[in-house]
Amino acid sequence: MISIEPAERYMRMDFSGKALHVGSLLRPPYLLQARKRHAAGEIDGEELRQVEDQAILDALALQRDSGIGVHTDGEYRRNDFMSHLTAATDGFVGQAPTLDWNADGDEQNQDDSILNLIGGRLRHRNRFTDREAAFLADHAPGPWKVAIPEVTNFVVANWQSGVSDAVYPTRADIIDDLAAVIRAETEALARDGVRHVQIDAPCFTSFVNDKLIAVFEAEGLDSRELLERCVEADRAIVGGLRDADVIVGMHICRGNYRGQWFNEGTYDGIAEDVFGRIPVDHWLLEYDTERAGSLDPIRHVPAGTTVVLGLVTTKTGALEDADALARRVDEASRLRPLEDLAISPQCGFASEVQGNPLTWDDQRRKLDLVVSVAQRVWG
């Protein structure tokens, strides 16, 4: 068994790490097998928890050895990046939406068994990140973070006419109750002494996705007003965390499911509203393909806020060229001071349990590459 000495509880972290990762990591085969056995009734919850604990220790060792700056538990206690919230919140039902994913080539995997639709009044019932935070506090070998999902994800993916509208007539109507759920959890994290929270917001790019904008408009919603309401909800959540001296990062991508993506569209149409108005300490932005567009929108990030460039893809095992990555950082430094930049993979390696189509060794090489480029660029 891998043994990691508990880290000293740290005060407000100096955000100087230049090599970061978004959070989720590939689940090792022994953890996936334990989950199957638990689902089949062959092992109980305590046995599964012990396997999860060991897997998290292995993940922490991977991160420690690679030199990645802020540690996570790999999201190993979750089915997907939102499942811990839905399991602890009243109002979600067993029915799942079917989302329209995009993939390179002809084969597509339908995400029809992970998310849960909203079918009742949303209320915070139980804590959903406390056990994750407590384990990291005891075992992380350095600074660590806890990730929570953002309001917009549920507005886009978890409301459906015929299921949700009996309680929430439009998708916009879930925002206040959902924000209250997230705020209750973040306030509890701050009271627990957690010093770094990441908010995962892949669905902000839905507001530059023509297909989804058309869906909103067909429902009688103004997409700009819907975006504005989501931003205001996030401003309150982030502001509360920062008032409690918690470091806050927000991650934006285009969706991440077994190598596929959900949204298409560049940051240009949302940069001023989102980057300029949500007062986070740092943005983790997907920039691994041309789908993200140019770097110009990072001009809207306020001075002193770090931009973490997600230049290394987690969707395939192909390893990027270090010289090309360094040149991309140099390009960004013409728009932002170099000290306000960092580098990371573009998203997590496993936003849900099965993960993206790459191997554990591929994952390690990706993390090593991020660290080596950071050392090369920032010294």
Side-chain angles (χ1 to χ4, degrees), residues 128-163:
F128 50 87
T129 58
D130 51 338
R131 188 168 61 167
E132 295 175 339
F135 194 85
L136 285 166
D138 286 343
H139 297 285
W144 51 272
K145 63 184 176 182
V146 173
I148 60 172
E150 185 266 346
V151 171
T152 308
N153 305 316
F154 299 90
V155 171
V156 171
N158 297 76
W159 183 95
Q160 183 174 299
S161 177
V163 177

PDB file of all heavy atoms in Angstrom, residues 128-163:
ATOM      1  N   PHE A 128     -22.024  16.926   0.066  1.00  0.00           N
ATOM      2  CA  PHE A 128     -21.575  16.028  -0.988  1.00  0.00           C
ATOM      3  C   PHE A 128     -20.087  16.141  -1.318  1.00  0.00           C
ATOM      4  O   PHE A 128     -19.583  15.409  -2.164  1.00  0.00           O
ATOM      5  CB  PHE A 128     -22.413  16.190  -2.259  1.00  0.00           C
ATOM      6  CG  PHE A 128     -22.591  17.605  -2.766  1.00  0.00           C
ATOM      7  CD1 PHE A 128     -21.671  18.187  -3.610  1.00  0.00           C
ATOM      8  CD2 PHE A 128     -23.716  18.335  -2.412  1.00  0.00           C
ATOM      9  CE1 PHE A 128     -21.853  19.475  -4.100  1.00  0.00           C
ATOM     10  CE2 PHE A 128     -23.924  19.618  -2.891  1.00  0.00           C
ATOM     11  CZ  PHE A 128     -22.982  20.197  -3.739  1.00  0.00           C
ATOM     12  N   THR A 129     -19.359  17.030  -0.643  1.00  0.00           N
ATOM     13  CA  THR A 129     -17.908  17.087  -0.851  1.00  0.00           C
ATOM     14  C   THR A 129     -17.127  16.962   0.449  1.00  0.00           C
ATOM     15  O   THR A 129     -15.898  17.034   0.431  1.00  0.00           O
ATOM     16  CB  THR A 129     -17.496  18.410  -1.537  1.00  0.00           C
ATOM     17  OG1 THR A 129     -17.942  19.505  -0.731  1.00  0.00           O
ATOM     18  CG2 THR A 129     -18.082  18.512  -2.933  1.00  0.00           C
ATOM     19  N   ASP A 130     -17.812  16.784   1.571  1.00  0.00           N
ATOM     20  CA  ASP A 130     -17.119  16.785   2.855  1.00  0.00           C
ATOM     21  C   ASP A 130     -16.146  15.619   3.000  1.00  0.00           C
ATOM     22  O   ASP A 130     -15.022  15.798   3.487  1.00  0.00           O
ATOM     23  CB  ASP A 130     -18.124  16.800   4.012  1.00  0.00           C
ATOM     24  CG  ASP A 130     -19.193  15.727   3.896  1.00  0.00           C
ATOM     25  OD1 ASP A 130     -19.436  15.233   2.776  1.00  0.00           O
ATOM     26  OD2 ASP A 130     -19.796  15.383   4.926  1.00  0.00           O
ATOM     27  N   ARG A 131     -16.542  14.418   2.557  1.00  0.00           N
ATOM     28  CA  ARG A 131     -15.657  13.266   2.696  1.00  0.00           C
ATOM     29  C   ARG A 131     -14.440  13.408   1.779  1.00  0.00           C
ATOM     30  O   ARG A 131     -13.317  13.064   2.160  1.00  0.00           O
ATOM     31  CB  ARG A 131     -16.408  11.972   2.389  1.00  0.00           C
ATOM     32  CG  ARG A 131     -15.597  10.729   2.714  1.00  0.00           C
ATOM     33  CD  ARG A 131     -16.422   9.471   2.686  1.00  0.00           C
ATOM     34  NE  ARG A 131     -16.998   9.228   1.369  1.00  0.00           N
ATOM     35  CZ  ARG A 131     -17.549   8.074   1.003  1.00  0.00           C
ATOM     36  NH1 ARG A 131     -17.610   7.075   1.856  1.00  0.00           N
ATOM     37  NH2 ARG A 131     -18.057   7.934  -0.194  1.00  0.00           N
ATOM     38  N   GLU A 132     -14.657  13.925   0.566  1.00  0.00           N
ATOM     39  CA  GLU A 132     -13.534  14.168  -0.338  1.00  0.00           C
ATOM     40  C   GLU A 132     -12.533  15.129   0.298  1.00  0.00           C
ATOM     41  O   GLU A 132     -11.323  14.889   0.285  1.00  0.00           O
ATOM     42  CB  GLU A 132     -14.044  14.753  -1.663  1.00  0.00           C
ATOM     43  CG  GLU A 132     -14.914  13.817  -2.472  1.00  0.00           C
ATOM     44  CD  GLU A 132     -15.479  14.491  -3.715  1.00  0.00           C
ATOM     45  OE1 GLU A 132     -15.536  15.738  -3.767  1.00  0.00           O
ATOM     46  OE2 GLU A 132     -15.866  13.765  -4.643  1.00  0.00           O
ATOM     47  N   ALA A 133     -13.045  16.237   0.835  1.00  0.00           N
ATOM     48  CA  ALA A 133     -12.172  17.255   1.412  1.00  0.00           C
ATOM     49  C   ALA A 133     -11.416  16.723   2.625  1.00  0.00           C
ATOM     50  O   ALA A 133     -10.219  16.988   2.795  1.00  0.00           O
ATOM     51  CB  ALA A 133     -12.995  18.487   1.786  1.00  0.00           C
ATOM     52  N   ALA A 134     -12.104  15.981   3.471  1.00  0.00           N
ATOM     53  CA  ALA A 134     -11.458  15.466   4.674  1.00  0.00           C
ATOM     54  C   ALA A 134     -10.317  14.512   4.327  1.00  0.00           C
ATOM     55  O   ALA A 134      -9.244  14.547   4.956  1.00  0.00           O
ATOM     56  CB  ALA A 134     -12.492  14.766   5.555  1.00  0.00           C
ATOM     57  N   PHE A 135     -10.519  13.653   3.324  1.00  0.00           N
ATOM     58  CA  PHE A 135      -9.466  12.710   2.949  1.00  0.00           C
ATOM     59  C   PHE A 135      -8.264  13.448   2.362  1.00  0.00           C
ATOM     60  O   PHE A 135      -7.109  13.133   2.665  1.00  0.00           O
ATOM     61  CB  PHE A 135     -10.007  11.686   1.961  1.00  0.00           C
ATOM     62  CG  PHE A 135      -9.108  10.493   1.772  1.00  0.00           C
ATOM     63  CD1 PHE A 135      -9.179   9.409   2.634  1.00  0.00           C
ATOM     64  CD2 PHE A 135      -8.189  10.452   0.739  1.00  0.00           C
ATOM     65  CE1 PHE A 135      -8.343   8.304   2.472  1.00  0.00           C
ATOM     66  CE2 PHE A 135      -7.353   9.357   0.560  1.00  0.00           C
ATOM     67  CZ  PHE A 135      -7.431   8.283   1.431  1.00  0.00           C
ATOM     68  N   LEU A 136      -8.520  14.445   1.525  1.00  0.00           N
ATOM     69  CA  LEU A 136      -7.429  15.220   0.949  1.00  0.00           C
ATOM     70  C   LEU A 136      -6.675  15.989   2.028  1.00  0.00           C
ATOM     71  O   LEU A 136      -5.447  16.104   1.978  1.00  0.00           O
ATOM     72  CB  LEU A 136      -7.971  16.172  -0.116  1.00  0.00           C
ATOM     73  CG  LEU A 136      -8.355  15.514  -1.447  1.00  0.00           C
ATOM     74  CD1 LEU A 136      -9.183  16.468  -2.298  1.00  0.00           C
ATOM     75  CD2 LEU A 136      -7.115  15.062  -2.207  1.00  0.00           C
ATOM     76  N   ALA A 137      -7.406  16.543   2.993  1.00  0.00           N
ATOM     77  CA  ALA A 137      -6.743  17.273   4.073  1.00  0.00           C
ATOM     78  C   ALA A 137      -5.769  16.379   4.824  1.00  0.00           C
ATOM     79  O   ALA A 137      -4.701  16.829   5.269  1.00  0.00           O
ATOM     80  CB  ALA A 137      -7.787  17.855   5.023  1.00  0.00           C
ATOM     81  N   ASP A 138      -6.099  15.111   4.954  1.00  0.00           N
ATOM     82  CA  ASP A 138      -5.254  14.179   5.698  1.00  0.00           C
ATOM     83  C   ASP A 138      -4.123  13.596   4.864  1.00  0.00           C
ATOM     84  O   ASP A 138      -3.090  13.196   5.422  1.00  0.00           O
ATOM     85  CB  ASP A 138      -6.104  13.037   6.252  1.00  0.00           C
ATOM     86  CG  ASP A 138      -6.959  13.449   7.431  1.00  0.00           C
ATOM     87  OD1 ASP A 138      -6.675  14.502   8.038  1.00  0.00           O
ATOM     88  OD2 ASP A 138      -7.932  12.726   7.734  1.00  0.00           O
ATOM     89  N   HIS A 139      -4.302  13.515   3.546  1.00  0.00           N
ATOM     90  CA  HIS A 139      -3.366  12.724   2.745  1.00  0.00           C
ATOM     91  C   HIS A 139      -2.698  13.446   1.583  1.00  0.00           C
ATOM     92  O   HIS A 139      -1.707  12.922   1.054  1.00  0.00           O
ATOM     93  CB  HIS A 139      -4.085  11.486   2.200  1.00  0.00           C
ATOM     94  CG  HIS A 139      -4.562  10.548   3.246  1.00  0.00           C
ATOM     95  ND1 HIS A 139      -3.722   9.707   3.938  1.00  0.00           N
ATOM     96  CD2 HIS A 139      -5.805  10.331   3.763  1.00  0.00           C
ATOM     97  CE1 HIS A 139      -4.413   9.005   4.817  1.00  0.00           C
ATOM     98  NE2 HIS A 139      -5.684   9.359   4.727  1.00  0.00           N
ATOM     99  N   ALA A 140      -3.190  14.581   1.149  1.00  0.00           N
ATOM    100  CA  ALA A 140      -2.574  15.253  -0.006  1.00  0.00           C
ATOM    101  C   ALA A 140      -1.151  15.675   0.332  1.00  0.00           C
ATOM    102  O   ALA A 140      -0.903  16.229   1.407  1.00  0.00           O
ATOM    103  CB  ALA A 140      -3.407  16.461  -0.425  1.00  0.00           C
ATOM    104  N   PRO A 141      -0.195  15.441  -0.571  1.00  0.00           N
ATOM    105  CA  PRO A 141       1.204  15.777  -0.299  1.00  0.00           C
ATOM    106  C   PRO A 141       1.547  17.237  -0.590  1.00  0.00           C
ATOM    107  O   PRO A 141       2.725  17.607  -0.617  1.00  0.00           O
ATOM    108  CB  PRO A 141       1.964  14.844  -1.248  1.00  0.00           C
ATOM    109  CG  PRO A 141       1.037  14.666  -2.397  1.00  0.00           C
ATOM    110  CD  PRO A 141      -0.357  14.666  -1.813  1.00  0.00           C
ATOM    111  N   GLY A 142       0.542  18.054  -0.813  1.00  0.00           N
ATOM    112  CA  GLY A 142       0.739  19.474  -1.099  1.00  0.00           C
ATOM    113  C   GLY A 142      -0.612  20.133  -1.226  1.00  0.00           C
ATOM    114  O   GLY A 142      -1.636  19.559  -0.826  1.00  0.00           O
ATOM    115  N   PRO A 143      -0.667  21.333  -1.791  1.00  0.00           N
ATOM    116  CA  PRO A 143      -1.949  22.022  -1.977  1.00  0.00           C
ATOM    117  C   PRO A 143      -2.944  21.154  -2.738  1.00  0.00           C
ATOM    118  O   PRO A 143      -2.571  20.397  -3.628  1.00  0.00           O
ATOM    119  CB  PRO A 143      -1.559  23.271  -2.778  1.00  0.00           C
ATOM    120  CG  PRO A 143      -0.134  23.506  -2.435  1.00  0.00           C
ATOM    121  CD  PRO A 143       0.467  22.141  -2.275  1.00  0.00           C
ATOM    122  N   TRP A 144      -4.222  21.278  -2.389  1.00  0.00           N
ATOM    123  CA  TRP A 144      -5.256  20.440  -3.004  1.00  0.00           C
ATOM    124  C   TRP A 144      -6.518  21.262  -3.221  1.00  0.00           C
ATOM    125  O   TRP A 144      -6.678  22.336  -2.658  1.00  0.00           O
ATOM    126  CB  TRP A 144      -5.556  19.210  -2.153  1.00  0.00           C
ATOM    127  CG  TRP A 144      -5.839  19.508  -0.703  1.00  0.00           C
ATOM    128  CD1 TRP A 144      -4.927  19.609   0.301  1.00  0.00           C
ATOM    129  CD2 TRP A 144      -7.125  19.757  -0.108  1.00  0.00           C
ATOM    130  NE1 TRP A 144      -5.554  19.892   1.499  1.00  0.00           N
ATOM    131  CE2 TRP A 144      -6.899  19.988   1.275  1.00  0.00           C
ATOM    132  CE3 TRP A 144      -8.430  19.790  -0.595  1.00  0.00           C
ATOM    133  CZ2 TRP A 144      -7.932  20.267   2.178  1.00  0.00           C
ATOM    134  CZ3 TRP A 144      -9.469  20.056   0.293  1.00  0.00           C
ATOM    135  CH2 TRP A 144      -9.217  20.293   1.660  1.00  0.00           C
ATOM    136  N   LYS A 145      -7.392  20.733  -4.059  1.00  0.00           N
ATOM    137  CA  LYS A 145      -8.636  21.438  -4.364  1.00  0.00           C
ATOM    138  C   LYS A 145      -9.791  20.449  -4.426  1.00  0.00           C
ATOM    139  O   LYS A 145      -9.603  19.246  -4.632  1.00  0.00           O
ATOM    140  CB  LYS A 145      -8.530  22.192  -5.686  1.00  0.00           C
ATOM    141  CG  LYS A 145      -8.306  21.316  -6.923  1.00  0.00           C
ATOM    142  CD  LYS A 145      -8.105  22.165  -8.173  1.00  0.00           C
ATOM    143  CE  LYS A 145      -7.783  21.290  -9.389  1.00  0.00           C
ATOM    144  NZ  LYS A 145      -7.538  22.098 -10.608  1.00  0.00           N
ATOM    145  N   VAL A 146     -10.979  20.995  -4.248  1.00  0.00           N
ATOM    146  CA  VAL A 146     -12.226  20.249  -4.398  1.00  0.00           C
ATOM    147  C   VAL A 146     -13.006  20.900  -5.528  1.00  0.00           C
ATOM    148  O   VAL A 146     -13.124  22.134  -5.586  1.00  0.00           O
ATOM    149  CB  VAL A 146     -13.043  20.270  -3.094  1.00  0.00           C
ATOM    150  CG1 VAL A 146     -14.415  19.644  -3.313  1.00  0.00           C
ATOM    151  CG2 VAL A 146     -12.300  19.549  -1.980  1.00  0.00           C
ATOM    152  N   ALA A 147     -13.548  20.090  -6.437  1.00  0.00           N
ATOM    153  CA  ALA A 147     -14.302  20.620  -7.576  1.00  0.00           C
ATOM    154  C   ALA A 147     -15.794  20.415  -7.370  1.00  0.00           C
ATOM    155  O   ALA A 147     -16.234  19.391  -6.844  1.00  0.00           O
ATOM    156  CB  ALA A 147     -13.860  19.921  -8.859  1.00  0.00           C
ATOM    157  N   ILE A 148     -16.555  21.416  -7.787  1.00  0.00           N
ATOM    158  CA  ILE A 148     -18.013  21.333  -7.753  1.00  0.00           C
ATOM    159  C   ILE A 148     -18.553  21.775  -9.115  1.00  0.00           C
ATOM    160  O   ILE A 148     -17.923  22.557  -9.815  1.00  0.00           O
ATOM    161  CB  ILE A 148     -18.622  22.214  -6.642  1.00  0.00           C
ATOM    162  CG1 ILE A 148     -18.241  23.679  -6.852  1.00  0.00           C
ATOM    163  CG2 ILE A 148     -18.185  21.731  -5.270  1.00  0.00           C
ATOM    164  CD1 ILE A 148     -18.967  24.623  -5.921  1.00  0.00           C
ATOM    165  N   PRO A 149     -19.729  21.278  -9.514  1.00  0.00           N
ATOM    166  CA  PRO A 149     -20.308  21.692 -10.796  1.00  0.00           C
ATOM    167  C   PRO A 149     -20.952  23.070 -10.694  1.00  0.00           C
ATOM    168  O   PRO A 149     -21.326  23.527  -9.613  1.00  0.00           O
ATOM    169  CB  PRO A 149     -21.343  20.610 -11.092  1.00  0.00           C
ATOM    170  CG  PRO A 149     -21.736  20.101  -9.744  1.00  0.00           C
ATOM    171  CD  PRO A 149     -20.517  20.209  -8.869  1.00  0.00           C
ATOM    172  N   GLU A 150     -21.111  23.690 -11.833  1.00  0.00           N
ATOM    173  CA  GLU A 150     -21.637  25.057 -11.927  1.00  0.00           C
ATOM    174  C   GLU A 150     -23.089  25.040 -12.388  1.00  0.00           C
ATOM    175  O   GLU A 150     -23.552  24.073 -13.008  1.00  0.00           O
ATOM    176  CB  GLU A 150     -20.737  25.846 -12.896  1.00  0.00           C
ATOM    177  CG  GLU A 150     -21.030  27.309 -13.035  1.00  0.00           C
ATOM    178  CD  GLU A 150     -21.960  27.594 -14.205  1.00  0.00           C
ATOM    179  OE1 GLU A 150     -22.153  26.696 -15.047  1.00  0.00           O
ATOM    180  OE2 GLU A 150     -22.473  28.719 -14.255  1.00  0.00           O
ATOM    181  N   VAL A 151     -23.810  26.105 -12.111  1.00  0.00           N
ATOM    182  CA  VAL A 151     -25.242  26.222 -12.376  1.00  0.00           C
ATOM    183  C   VAL A 151     -25.600  25.923 -13.824  1.00  0.00           C
ATOM    184  O   VAL A 151     -26.568  25.198 -14.117  1.00  0.00           O
ATOM    185  CB  VAL A 151     -25.722  27.641 -11.995  1.00  0.00           C
ATOM    186  CG1 VAL A 151     -27.150  27.874 -12.456  1.00  0.00           C
ATOM    187  CG2 VAL A 151     -25.593  27.867 -10.490  1.00  0.00           C
ATOM    188  N   THR A 152     -24.841  26.475 -14.767  1.00  0.00           N
ATOM    189  CA  THR A 152     -25.201  26.407 -16.182  1.00  0.00           C
ATOM    190  C   THR A 152     -25.291  24.975 -16.689  1.00  0.00           C
ATOM    191  O   THR A 152     -26.096  24.669 -17.578  1.00  0.00           O
ATOM    192  CB  THR A 152     -24.176  27.199 -17.023  1.00  0.00           C
ATOM    193  OG1 THR A 152     -24.050  28.507 -16.471  1.00  0.00           O
ATOM    194  CG2 THR A 152     -24.616  27.302 -18.463  1.00  0.00           C
ATOM    195  N   ASN A 153     -24.475  24.066 -16.139  1.00  0.00           N
ATOM    196  CA  ASN A 153     -24.524  22.669 -16.582  1.00  0.00           C
ATOM    197  C   ASN A 153     -25.939  22.107 -16.451  1.00  0.00           C
ATOM    198  O   ASN A 153     -26.443  21.415 -17.342  1.00  0.00           O
ATOM    199  CB  ASN A 153     -23.581  21.817 -15.731  1.00  0.00           C
ATOM    200  CG  ASN A 153     -22.169  22.329 -15.720  1.00  0.00           C
ATOM    201  OD1 ASN A 153     -21.636  22.693 -16.756  1.00  0.00           O
ATOM    202  ND2 ASN A 153     -21.555  22.377 -14.560  1.00  0.00           N
ATOM    203  N   PHE A 154     -26.574  22.386 -15.324  1.00  0.00           N
ATOM    204  CA  PHE A 154     -27.904  21.836 -15.049  1.00  0.00           C
ATOM    205  C   PHE A 154     -28.982  22.552 -15.858  1.00  0.00           C
ATOM    206  O   PHE A 154     -29.961  21.936 -16.286  1.00  0.00           O
ATOM    207  CB  PHE A 154     -28.195  21.945 -13.552  1.00  0.00           C
ATOM    208  CG  PHE A 154     -27.223  21.194 -12.696  1.00  0.00           C
ATOM    209  CD1 PHE A 154     -26.065  21.799 -12.233  1.00  0.00           C
ATOM    210  CD2 PHE A 154     -27.447  19.860 -12.384  1.00  0.00           C
ATOM    211  CE1 PHE A 154     -25.158  21.109 -11.449  1.00  0.00           C
ATOM    212  CE2 PHE A 154     -26.548  19.152 -11.600  1.00  0.00           C
ATOM    213  CZ  PHE A 154     -25.397  19.779 -11.131  1.00  0.00           C
ATOM    214  N   VAL A 155     -28.783  23.843 -16.067  1.00  0.00           N
ATOM    215  CA  VAL A 155     -29.729  24.613 -16.889  1.00  0.00           C
ATOM    216  C   VAL A 155     -29.786  24.030 -18.299  1.00  0.00           C
ATOM    217  O   VAL A 155     -30.856  23.894 -18.899  1.00  0.00           O
ATOM    218  CB  VAL A 155     -29.316  26.098 -16.928  1.00  0.00           C
ATOM    219  CG1 VAL A 155     -30.136  26.873 -17.949  1.00  0.00           C
ATOM    220  CG2 VAL A 155     -29.475  26.732 -15.538  1.00  0.00           C
ATOM    221  N   VAL A 156     -28.630  23.652 -18.818  1.00  0.00           N
ATOM    222  CA  VAL A 156     -28.548  23.140 -20.185  1.00  0.00           C
ATOM    223  C   VAL A 156     -28.958  21.670 -20.267  1.00  0.00           C
ATOM    224  O   VAL A 156     -29.728  21.276 -21.159  1.00  0.00           O
ATOM    225  CB  VAL A 156     -27.122  23.329 -20.740  1.00  0.00           C
ATOM    226  CG1 VAL A 156     -26.952  22.603 -22.087  1.00  0.00           C
ATOM    227  CG2 VAL A 156     -26.803  24.805 -20.899  1.00  0.00           C
ATOM    228  N   ALA A 157     -28.463  20.837 -19.344  1.00  0.00           N
ATOM    229  CA  ALA A 157     -28.549  19.383 -19.529  1.00  0.00           C
ATOM    230  C   ALA A 157     -29.591  18.669 -18.683  1.00  0.00           C
ATOM    231  O   ALA A 157     -29.936  17.528 -18.995  1.00  0.00           O
ATOM    232  CB  ALA A 157     -27.171  18.758 -19.259  1.00  0.00           C
ATOM    233  N   ASN A 158     -30.102  19.274 -17.620  1.00  0.00           N
ATOM    234  CA  ASN A 158     -30.930  18.520 -16.676  1.00  0.00           C
ATOM    235  C   ASN A 158     -32.391  18.947 -16.625  1.00  0.00           C
ATOM    236  O   ASN A 158     -33.169  18.368 -15.858  1.00  0.00           O
ATOM    237  CB  ASN A 158     -30.330  18.613 -15.266  1.00  0.00           C
ATOM    238  CG  ASN A 158     -28.957  17.989 -15.180  1.00  0.00           C
ATOM    239  OD1 ASN A 158     -27.985  18.571 -15.641  1.00  0.00           O
ATOM    240  ND2 ASN A 158     -28.858  16.805 -14.605  1.00  0.00           N
ATOM    241  N   TRP A 159     -32.770  19.928 -17.421  1.00  0.00           N
ATOM    242  CA  TRP A 159     -34.179  20.348 -17.515  1.00  0.00           C
ATOM    243  C   TRP A 159     -34.757  19.793 -18.816  1.00  0.00           C
ATOM    244  O   TRP A 159     -34.115  19.857 -19.870  1.00  0.00           O
ATOM    245  CB  TRP A 159     -34.294  21.864 -17.516  1.00  0.00           C
ATOM    246  CG  TRP A 159     -35.712  22.375 -17.529  1.00  0.00           C
ATOM    247  CD1 TRP A 159     -36.462  22.741 -16.449  1.00  0.00           C
ATOM    248  CD2 TRP A 159     -36.551  22.597 -18.679  1.00  0.00           C
ATOM    249  NE1 TRP A 159     -37.705  23.166 -16.837  1.00  0.00           N
ATOM    250  CE2 TRP A 159     -37.795  23.082 -18.207  1.00  0.00           C
ATOM    251  CE3 TRP A 159     -36.375  22.415 -20.047  1.00  0.00           C
ATOM    252  CZ2 TRP A 159     -38.847  23.403 -19.055  1.00  0.00           C
ATOM    253  CZ3 TRP A 159     -37.427  22.727 -20.891  1.00  0.00           C
ATOM    254  CH2 TRP A 159     -38.643  23.206 -20.400  1.00  0.00           C
ATOM    255  N   GLN A 160     -35.957  19.230 -18.724  1.00  0.00           N
ATOM    256  CA  GLN A 160     -36.613  18.710 -19.932  1.00  0.00           C
ATOM    257  C   GLN A 160     -38.116  18.893 -19.812  1.00  0.00           C
ATOM    258  O   GLN A 160     -38.719  18.571 -18.779  1.00  0.00           O
ATOM    259  CB  GLN A 160     -36.289  17.223 -20.110  1.00  0.00           C
ATOM    260  CG  GLN A 160     -36.875  16.616 -21.381  1.00  0.00           C
ATOM    261  CD  GLN A 160     -36.399  15.193 -21.587  1.00  0.00           C
ATOM    262  OE1 GLN A 160     -35.203  14.937 -21.720  1.00  0.00           O
ATOM    263  NE2 GLN A 160     -37.332  14.248 -21.583  1.00  0.00           N
ATOM    264  N   SER A 161     -38.695  19.412 -20.871  1.00  0.00           N
ATOM    265  CA  SER A 161     -40.147  19.580 -20.918  1.00  0.00           C
ATOM    266  C   SER A 161     -40.822  18.226 -20.742  1.00  0.00           C
ATOM    267  O   SER A 161     -40.369  17.217 -21.282  1.00  0.00           O
ATOM    268  CB  SER A 161     -40.545  20.200 -22.255  1.00  0.00           C
ATOM    269  OG  SER A 161     -41.949  20.319 -22.348  1.00  0.00           O
ATOM    270  N   GLY A 162     -41.901  18.208 -19.963  1.00  0.00           N
ATOM    271  CA  GLY A 162     -42.610  16.970 -19.691  1.00  0.00           C
ATOM    272  C   GLY A 162     -42.127  16.255 -18.450  1.00  0.00           C
ATOM    273  O   GLY A 162     -42.805  15.353 -17.945  1.00  0.00           O
ATOM    274  N   VAL A 163     -40.945  16.623 -17.966  1.00  0.00           N
ATOM    275  CA  VAL A 163     -40.397  16.040 -16.745  1.00  0.00           C
ATOM    276  C   VAL A 163     -40.180  17.131 -15.693  1.00  0.00           C
ATOM    277  O   VAL A 163     -40.577  16.983 -14.545  1.00  0.00           O
ATOM    278  CB  VAL A 163     -39.065  15.309 -17.013  1.00  0.00           C
ATOM    279  CG1 VAL A 163     -38.473  14.757 -15.713  1.00  0.00           C
ATOM    280  CG2 VAL A 163     -39.258  14.200 -18.029  1.00  0.00           C
TER     281      VAL A 163
END
